Short mmCIF file of all heavy atoms in Angstrom, two decimals:
data_model
loop_
_atom_site.label_atom_id
_atom_site.label_comp_id
_atom_site.label_asym_id
_atom_site.label_seq_id
_atom_site.Cartn_x
_atom_site.Cartn_y
_atom_site.Cartn_z
N ILE A 20 131.91 134.93 -108.01
CA ILE A 20 130.54 134.62 -108.43
C ILE A 20 130.38 133.12 -108.67
O ILE A 20 129.45 132.48 -108.15
CB ILE A 20 130.19 135.39 -109.72
CG1 ILE A 20 130.01 136.88 -109.42
CG2 ILE A 20 128.93 134.82 -110.36
CD1 ILE A 20 129.81 137.73 -110.66
N ALA A 24 128.36 130.51 -106.26
CA ALA A 24 127.20 129.86 -106.88
C ALA A 24 127.27 128.35 -106.72
O ALA A 24 126.28 127.69 -106.41
CB ALA A 24 127.11 130.24 -108.35
N THR A 28 124.36 127.08 -104.16
CA THR A 28 123.15 126.72 -104.89
C THR A 28 123.31 125.44 -105.69
O THR A 28 124.41 125.03 -106.03
CB THR A 28 122.76 127.85 -105.88
OG1 THR A 28 123.74 127.91 -106.92
CG2 THR A 28 122.70 129.19 -105.18
N LEU A 30 122.88 124.67 -109.06
CA LEU A 30 122.78 125.49 -110.27
C LEU A 30 121.72 124.99 -111.23
O LEU A 30 120.94 125.77 -111.79
CB LEU A 30 124.13 125.56 -110.97
CG LEU A 30 125.19 126.45 -110.32
CD1 LEU A 30 126.51 126.35 -111.07
CD2 LEU A 30 124.71 127.90 -110.28
N VAL A 33 118.18 125.86 -109.99
CA VAL A 33 117.88 127.28 -110.05
C VAL A 33 117.72 127.75 -111.49
O VAL A 33 116.80 128.49 -111.83
CB VAL A 33 118.97 128.11 -109.33
CG1 VAL A 33 118.68 129.60 -109.46
CG2 VAL A 33 119.04 127.72 -107.86
N ILE A 34 118.65 127.31 -112.35
CA ILE A 34 118.61 127.73 -113.75
C ILE A 34 117.36 127.22 -114.46
O ILE A 34 116.85 127.86 -115.38
CB ILE A 34 119.89 127.27 -114.48
CG1 ILE A 34 121.10 128.06 -113.96
CG2 ILE A 34 119.77 127.44 -115.98
CD1 ILE A 34 122.42 127.61 -114.51
N SER A 35 116.85 126.08 -114.01
CA SER A 35 115.65 125.52 -114.64
C SER A 35 114.36 126.09 -114.07
O SER A 35 113.27 125.72 -114.52
CB SER A 35 115.64 123.99 -114.49
OG SER A 35 115.61 123.63 -113.12
N SER A 36 114.47 127.00 -113.10
CA SER A 36 113.27 127.61 -112.52
C SER A 36 112.59 128.52 -113.54
O SER A 36 113.21 128.98 -114.51
CB SER A 36 113.63 128.41 -111.27
OG SER A 36 114.42 129.53 -111.60
N SER A 37 111.31 128.79 -113.31
CA SER A 37 110.54 129.58 -114.28
C SER A 37 111.08 131.00 -114.41
O SER A 37 111.08 131.57 -115.52
CB SER A 37 109.07 129.63 -113.86
OG SER A 37 108.93 130.21 -112.56
N THR A 38 111.55 131.59 -113.31
CA THR A 38 112.08 132.95 -113.35
C THR A 38 113.28 133.04 -114.28
O THR A 38 113.38 133.95 -115.12
CB THR A 38 112.50 133.42 -111.94
OG1 THR A 38 111.36 133.40 -111.08
CG2 THR A 38 113.09 134.82 -111.99
N VAL A 39 114.17 132.07 -114.15
CA VAL A 39 115.39 132.08 -114.95
C VAL A 39 115.10 131.75 -116.41
O VAL A 39 115.58 132.42 -117.33
CB VAL A 39 116.43 131.10 -114.36
CG1 VAL A 39 117.66 131.02 -115.26
CG2 VAL A 39 116.83 131.52 -112.96
N THR A 40 114.32 130.71 -116.64
CA THR A 40 114.06 130.29 -118.01
C THR A 40 113.28 131.36 -118.79
O THR A 40 113.53 131.57 -119.97
CB THR A 40 113.27 128.97 -118.04
OG1 THR A 40 112.07 129.10 -117.26
CG2 THR A 40 114.11 127.83 -117.47
N GLU A 41 112.37 132.05 -118.12
CA GLU A 41 111.60 133.09 -118.79
C GLU A 41 112.49 134.28 -119.13
O GLU A 41 112.41 134.84 -120.23
CB GLU A 41 110.44 133.54 -117.91
CG GLU A 41 109.42 134.42 -118.62
CD GLU A 41 108.69 133.70 -119.74
OE1 GLU A 41 108.70 132.45 -119.76
OE2 GLU A 41 108.12 134.39 -120.61
N ALA A 42 113.35 134.67 -118.18
CA ALA A 42 114.27 135.78 -118.44
C ALA A 42 115.25 135.42 -119.55
O ALA A 42 115.56 136.25 -120.41
CB ALA A 42 115.03 136.15 -117.16
N LEU A 43 115.72 134.18 -119.54
CA LEU A 43 116.65 133.73 -120.58
C LEU A 43 115.96 133.70 -121.93
O LEU A 43 116.55 134.09 -122.95
CB LEU A 43 117.20 132.35 -120.22
CG LEU A 43 118.29 131.79 -121.14
CD1 LEU A 43 119.50 132.71 -121.16
CD2 LEU A 43 118.70 130.39 -120.68
N ARG A 44 114.71 133.26 -121.96
CA ARG A 44 113.96 133.23 -123.23
C ARG A 44 113.81 134.63 -123.80
O ARG A 44 114.07 134.86 -124.99
CB ARG A 44 112.58 132.61 -123.00
CG ARG A 44 111.73 132.54 -124.27
CD ARG A 44 110.30 132.14 -123.97
NE ARG A 44 109.60 133.18 -123.22
CZ ARG A 44 109.06 134.27 -123.76
NH1 ARG A 44 109.16 134.47 -125.08
NH2 ARG A 44 108.44 135.15 -123.02
N SER A 46 115.65 137.24 -123.19
CA SER A 46 116.97 137.75 -123.59
C SER A 46 117.38 137.18 -124.94
O SER A 46 117.86 137.92 -125.81
CB SER A 46 118.02 137.39 -122.54
OG SER A 46 117.91 138.21 -121.39
N GLN A 210 111.53 141.59 -118.82
CA GLN A 210 112.59 141.27 -117.85
C GLN A 210 113.62 140.34 -118.47
O GLN A 210 113.44 139.13 -118.56
CB GLN A 210 112.00 140.65 -116.59
CG GLN A 210 113.01 140.53 -115.45
CD GLN A 210 112.36 140.01 -114.18
OE1 GLN A 210 112.32 138.80 -113.96
NE2 GLN A 210 111.84 140.91 -113.36
N THR A 211 114.73 140.91 -118.90
CA THR A 211 115.84 140.13 -119.45
C THR A 211 116.68 139.58 -118.31
O THR A 211 116.42 139.85 -117.13
CB THR A 211 116.71 141.01 -120.36
OG1 THR A 211 117.20 142.12 -119.60
CG2 THR A 211 115.90 141.52 -121.55
N VAL A 212 117.73 138.82 -118.64
CA VAL A 212 118.56 138.21 -117.60
C VAL A 212 119.21 139.25 -116.68
O VAL A 212 119.15 139.11 -115.46
CB VAL A 212 119.62 137.29 -118.23
CG1 VAL A 212 120.59 136.78 -117.16
CG2 VAL A 212 118.95 136.10 -118.90
N PRO A 213 119.85 140.33 -117.21
CA PRO A 213 120.42 141.32 -116.30
C PRO A 213 119.38 141.96 -115.38
O PRO A 213 119.66 142.21 -114.19
CB PRO A 213 121.02 142.37 -117.26
CG PRO A 213 121.30 141.61 -118.50
CD PRO A 213 120.18 140.63 -118.61
N LEU A 214 118.19 142.21 -115.89
CA LEU A 214 117.13 142.78 -115.06
C LEU A 214 116.66 141.78 -114.02
O LEU A 214 116.34 142.15 -112.88
CB LEU A 214 115.96 143.22 -115.93
CG LEU A 214 116.23 144.36 -116.91
CD1 LEU A 214 114.98 144.67 -117.72
CD2 LEU A 214 116.70 145.61 -116.19
N ALA A 215 116.63 140.50 -114.39
CA ALA A 215 116.23 139.46 -113.44
C ALA A 215 117.26 139.33 -112.31
O ALA A 215 116.89 139.06 -111.16
CB ALA A 215 116.07 138.13 -114.16
N VAL A 216 118.54 139.51 -112.63
CA VAL A 216 119.57 139.48 -111.59
C VAL A 216 119.31 140.57 -110.55
O VAL A 216 119.32 140.33 -109.34
CB VAL A 216 120.97 139.67 -112.21
CG1 VAL A 216 122.02 139.87 -111.11
CG2 VAL A 216 121.34 138.48 -113.07
N TYR A 217 119.04 141.76 -111.04
CA TYR A 217 118.79 142.90 -110.14
C TYR A 217 117.51 142.70 -109.33
O TYR A 217 117.49 142.91 -108.11
CB TYR A 217 118.70 144.18 -110.96
CG TYR A 217 118.44 145.42 -110.14
CD1 TYR A 217 119.45 146.00 -109.39
CD2 TYR A 217 117.18 146.02 -110.14
CE1 TYR A 217 119.21 147.14 -108.63
CE2 TYR A 217 116.93 147.16 -109.40
CZ TYR A 217 117.95 147.72 -108.65
OH TYR A 217 117.70 148.84 -107.91
N ARG A 218 116.43 142.29 -109.99
CA ARG A 218 115.15 142.14 -109.32
C ARG A 218 115.17 141.00 -108.30
O ARG A 218 114.58 141.11 -107.21
CB ARG A 218 114.05 141.92 -110.35
CG ARG A 218 112.65 141.76 -109.78
CD ARG A 218 112.23 142.97 -108.95
NE ARG A 218 112.16 144.17 -109.73
CZ ARG A 218 111.08 144.56 -110.42
NH1 ARG A 218 110.00 143.81 -110.42
NH2 ARG A 218 111.10 145.69 -111.08
N SER A 219 115.85 139.90 -108.64
CA SER A 219 115.84 138.73 -107.75
C SER A 219 116.67 138.94 -106.49
O SER A 219 116.57 138.15 -105.54
CB SER A 219 116.33 137.49 -108.50
OG SER A 219 117.66 137.68 -108.99
N LEU A 220 117.49 139.99 -106.45
CA LEU A 220 118.24 140.29 -105.24
C LEU A 220 117.32 140.62 -104.07
O LEU A 220 117.71 140.50 -102.90
CB LEU A 220 119.19 141.47 -105.48
CG LEU A 220 120.50 141.16 -106.21
CD1 LEU A 220 121.21 142.46 -106.59
CD2 LEU A 220 121.40 140.30 -105.34
N ILE A 224 119.90 135.47 -102.59
CA ILE A 224 121.12 135.55 -103.38
C ILE A 224 121.29 134.38 -104.33
O ILE A 224 122.09 134.43 -105.26
CB ILE A 224 122.35 135.64 -102.44
CG1 ILE A 224 123.59 136.12 -103.20
CG2 ILE A 224 122.61 134.27 -101.78
CD1 ILE A 224 123.48 137.53 -103.70
N ASP A 225 120.51 133.31 -104.14
CA ASP A 225 120.71 132.10 -104.94
C ASP A 225 120.44 132.33 -106.42
O ASP A 225 121.24 131.97 -107.29
CB ASP A 225 119.82 130.97 -104.42
CG ASP A 225 120.30 130.44 -103.07
OD1 ASP A 225 121.40 130.84 -102.65
OD2 ASP A 225 119.57 129.66 -102.45
N VAL A 226 119.29 132.91 -106.74
CA VAL A 226 118.94 133.14 -108.14
C VAL A 226 119.90 134.13 -108.80
O VAL A 226 120.38 133.88 -109.92
CB VAL A 226 117.48 133.62 -108.27
CG1 VAL A 226 117.17 134.03 -109.71
CG2 VAL A 226 116.52 132.53 -107.82
N PRO A 227 120.23 135.26 -108.16
CA PRO A 227 121.22 136.17 -108.77
C PRO A 227 122.56 135.50 -109.04
O PRO A 227 123.18 135.75 -110.08
CB PRO A 227 121.35 137.30 -107.74
CG PRO A 227 120.07 137.29 -107.02
CD PRO A 227 119.64 135.86 -106.95
N LEU A 228 123.01 134.66 -108.12
CA LEU A 228 124.28 133.97 -108.32
C LEU A 228 124.20 133.01 -109.51
O LEU A 228 125.13 132.95 -110.32
CB LEU A 228 124.67 133.19 -107.06
CG LEU A 228 125.30 133.99 -105.92
CD1 LEU A 228 125.50 133.11 -104.70
CD2 LEU A 228 126.63 134.61 -106.34
N ALA A 229 123.11 132.28 -109.59
CA ALA A 229 122.96 131.34 -110.71
C ALA A 229 122.88 132.08 -112.04
O ALA A 229 123.53 131.69 -113.02
CB ALA A 229 121.71 130.48 -110.50
N LEU A 230 122.10 133.14 -112.08
CA LEU A 230 121.98 133.93 -113.30
C LEU A 230 123.31 134.56 -113.68
O LEU A 230 123.69 134.59 -114.86
CB LEU A 230 120.93 135.01 -113.12
CG LEU A 230 119.46 134.59 -113.25
CD1 LEU A 230 118.54 135.69 -112.76
CD2 LEU A 230 119.13 134.22 -114.68
N SER A 231 124.02 135.07 -112.69
CA SER A 231 125.32 135.70 -112.96
C SER A 231 126.32 134.68 -113.46
O SER A 231 127.12 134.98 -114.37
CB SER A 231 125.85 136.37 -111.68
OG SER A 231 124.97 137.39 -111.24
N THR A 232 126.30 133.49 -112.90
CA THR A 232 127.19 132.43 -113.38
C THR A 232 126.89 132.07 -114.83
O THR A 232 127.79 131.85 -115.64
CB THR A 232 127.06 131.17 -112.49
OG1 THR A 232 127.38 131.51 -111.15
CG2 THR A 232 128.00 130.07 -112.96
N LEU A 233 125.60 132.03 -115.14
CA LEU A 233 125.19 131.76 -116.52
C LEU A 233 125.70 132.84 -117.46
O LEU A 233 126.23 132.55 -118.54
CB LEU A 233 123.66 131.67 -116.59
CG LEU A 233 123.05 131.35 -117.95
CD1 LEU A 233 123.49 129.96 -118.43
CD2 LEU A 233 121.53 131.42 -117.87
N LEU A 234 125.59 134.10 -117.05
CA LEU A 234 126.08 135.20 -117.87
C LEU A 234 127.60 135.18 -118.00
O LEU A 234 128.14 135.51 -119.06
CB LEU A 234 125.63 136.54 -117.28
CG LEU A 234 124.18 136.94 -117.53
CD1 LEU A 234 123.87 138.26 -116.84
CD2 LEU A 234 123.88 137.03 -119.01
N VAL A 235 128.29 134.81 -116.93
CA VAL A 235 129.75 134.70 -116.98
C VAL A 235 130.15 133.65 -118.02
O VAL A 235 131.06 133.88 -118.84
CB VAL A 235 130.33 134.33 -115.60
CG1 VAL A 235 131.79 133.90 -115.73
CG2 VAL A 235 130.23 135.53 -114.65
N ALA A 236 129.47 132.50 -118.00
CA ALA A 236 129.80 131.43 -118.95
C ALA A 236 129.54 131.87 -120.38
O ALA A 236 130.36 131.65 -121.28
CB ALA A 236 128.98 130.18 -118.61
N ILE A 237 128.39 132.52 -120.60
CA ILE A 237 128.06 132.99 -121.95
C ILE A 237 129.04 134.06 -122.40
O ILE A 237 129.53 134.04 -123.54
CB ILE A 237 126.62 133.54 -121.98
CG1 ILE A 237 125.62 132.40 -121.74
CG2 ILE A 237 126.33 134.21 -123.32
CD1 ILE A 237 124.19 132.88 -121.60
N SER A 238 129.37 134.99 -121.51
CA SER A 238 130.30 136.07 -121.85
C SER A 238 131.68 135.54 -122.18
O SER A 238 132.34 136.01 -123.11
CB SER A 238 130.38 137.07 -120.69
OG SER A 238 129.12 137.65 -120.42
#
Side-chain angles (χ1 to χ4, degrees):
I20 288 174
T28 69
L30 286 176
V33 177
I34 291 175
S35 62
S36 67
S37 59
T38 300
V39 175
T40 55
E41 192 64 19
L43 186 59
R44 180 190 67 81
S46 285
Q210 191 175 90
T211 58
V212 173
L214 295 179
V216 171
Y217 180 75
R218 180 58 63 87
S219 60
L220 281 170
I224 196 66
D225 289 351
V226 173
L228 280 175
L230 281 168
S231 298
T232 301
L233 182 63
L234 282 178
V235 167
I237 294 174
S238 299

